[in-house]
Amino acid sequence: DQQVKQNSPSLSVQEGRISILNCDYTNSMFDYFLWYKKYPAEGPTFLISISSIKDKNEDGRFTVFLNKSAKHLSLHIVPSQPGDSAVYFCAAKSSGSARQLTFGSGTQLTVLP
Amino acid sequence: DSGVTQTPKHLITATGQRVTLRCSPRSGDLSVYWYQQSLDQGLQFLIQYYNGEERAKGNILERFSAQQFPDLHSELNLSSLELGDSALYFCASSVRWGQGSDTQYFGPGTRLTVL
């Protein structure tokens, strides 16, 4: 029972273009969503988050959009850089819990120079 | 560098053995989370401690246990190891407990290989 789904295992984008990573969730109790980036042999690194009371949050080149009615969120990276090549995990926290993270399976982003 | 440290980086052991993984949270963080990343299950929550007390359990096997000490470091004990326990084990820490806006910062992980 996958409550957080990232249906694209991989994505390739040209340097300077926009990268769009998608995530769907099924649990209506999720009220906080996060994106983490992970390089090989390292732990996940926090990128950006969004509360369920918002529909957009921006931090530099990274913007997260939340569509609650569709139970969908996306991460936009503009412009994409080769250093952005990594695995991106979508994660969610449930209200009324210890706030542990439920992760998606990840999307490997490759930014081509 | 997230400020979360984990030791050892790599661990190779045999089936049936017991190992201890150690985590030191970021300075000032009271919550520690343990996660397991395996090839077939992805990143899964195991257990959480806040200021020395267990607060939540996830998909943690009965052969596994953890604790958080007064200095806030945490240890994850894995016993009667099986081949399927081979995975990356991550520790994360956050300042508080129960807050949605509280960000979890991850350590570099311990890679466990059971032969």
Side-chain angles (χ1 to χ4, degrees), chain A:
Chain A
D1 173 23
Q2 257 193 305
Q3 299 184 62
V4 178
K5 298 179 189 178
Q6 293 176 258
N7 292 318
S8 299
S10 62
L11 174 69
S12 289
V13 169
Q14 210 67 39
E15 180 179 5
R17 307 294 292 266
I18 184 171
S19 295
I20 300 177
L21 296 103
N22 293 303
C23 178
D24 297 296
Y25 62 96
T26 57
N27 189 339
S28 300
M29 297 296 287
F30 288 148
D31 66 347
Y32 225 87
F33 303 89
L34 304 90
W35 285 93
Y36 283 82
K37 176 170 77 171
K38 187 179 181 305
Y39 294 116
E42 293 184 14
T45 301
F46 170 72
L47 271 178
I48 192 168
S49 63
I50 188 167
S51 163
S52 60
I53 63 172
K54 296 187 174 182
D55 54 20
K56 176 182 173 181
N57 188 25
E58 198 170 346
D59 184 1
R61 296 187 297 115
F62 302 93
T63 303
V64 57
F65 294 92
L66 175 63
N67 182 334
K68 274 185 299 186
S69 60
K71 292 193 172 69
H72 177 84
L73 63 154
S74 60
L75 174 68
H76 293 211
I77 306 174
V78 184
S80 301
Q81 300 172 353
D84 295 330
S85 298
V87 177
Y88 288 76
F89 288 97
C90 170
K93 294 185 188 181
S94 178
S95 62
S97 73
R99 300 304 199 163
Q100 67 267 29
L101 295 166
T102 300
F103 282 91
S105 53
T107 297
Q108 171 70 56
L109 173 66
T110 303
V111 180
L112 305 167

